Amino acid sequence: MILAAARAGPAPVRILGLDPGLRRTGWGVVSLDGARLSHVAHGVIVPSETAPFSERLLHLFQAICAIIAEHAPDEAAVEETFVNMNPASTLKLGHARAAAMIAPAQAGLPVAEYAATVVKKALVGTGAADKTQVAFMVRRILPSAGQASADAADALAVAITHANSRKLTAVSARARAG
């Protein structure tokens, strides 16, 4: 009986991917079981655009906390802030990103960060891919996710990128040990 348990291997790892934004924050949860990646859930958090800025950030934070409580991820991955021409918009997006990072950190989850170009390159093969190309590859990799919105597809792409990064790190560690 002990031998059978040892053969079972490590438990699957659940990864929460987040694509933060003030108007729409995409989220997606995937499960990594060895080399097998599967879709768990996804969605979009949409705070009221008429609410004060602080309440929108609070809504974002609380919604991510609820997602963590419901789906019990082991790790989180967040897309880095895209710097645009408007410094005020970039700063506000940074606040949303902070809320998206603090929620999993508060839950004790390790939080990885990935640049948008890294996510696009990991899924499509080029850092200049557009949202439709990323969504297409998410559907190919996670067919049970169906037609996820652009924000949710981006979040799933972040989770997939993190899952692949974990696999590469494990392979490298085995190569160094062997």
Side-chain angles (χ1 to χ4, degrees):
M1 190 61 116
I2 294 173
L3 186 58
R7 285 189 193 149
V13 175
R14 281 195 173 193
I15 300 167
L16 169 63
L18 295 164
D19 179 28
L22 276 175
R23 290 189 175 101
R24 300 174 59 82
T25 291
W27 64 272
V29 179
V30 299
S31 177
L32 179 63
D33 189 1
R36 185 172 172 258
L37 189 64
S38 58
H39 172 261
V40 175
H42 67 271
V44 179
I45 302 164
V46 184
S48 168
E49 289 190 34
T50 60
F53 183 63
S54 59
E55 288 179 24
R56 293 166 66 190
L57 291 173
L58 179 62
H59 177 85
L60 176 60
F61 175 80
Q62 290 175 333
I64 295 170
C65 288
I67 291 162
I68 291 168
E70 181 177 351
H71 297 289
D74 301 295
E75 300 175 7
V78 179
E79 188 170 282
E80 290 181 352
T81 302
F82 174 79
V83 179
N84 62 34
M85 299 300 287
N86 182 338
S89 295
T90 301
L91 184 60
K92 286 181 179 180
L93 180 57
H95 286 72
R97 189 168 172 274
M101 292 181 73
I102 292 170
Q106 177 181 290
L109 306 180
V111 181
E113 302 173 65
Y114 297 94
T117 54
V118 170
V119 173
K120 291 173 182 180
K121 187 168 186 169
L123 264 74
V124 180
T126 176
D130 64 28
K131 285 188 175 285
T132 58
Q133 292 171 306
V134 171
F136 174 81
M137 288 308 295
V138 167
R139 284 192 305 275
R140 299 283 292 175
I141 296 166
L142 301 172
S144 64
Q147 288 286 109
S149 70
D151 298 295
D154 285 351
L156 287 167
V158 172
I160 293 166
T161 299
H162 184 65
N164 289 336
S165 176
R166 290 182 95 261
K167 288 189 274 188
L168 289 172
T169 302
V171 168
S172 296
R174 283 195 302 269
R176 284 191 303 272

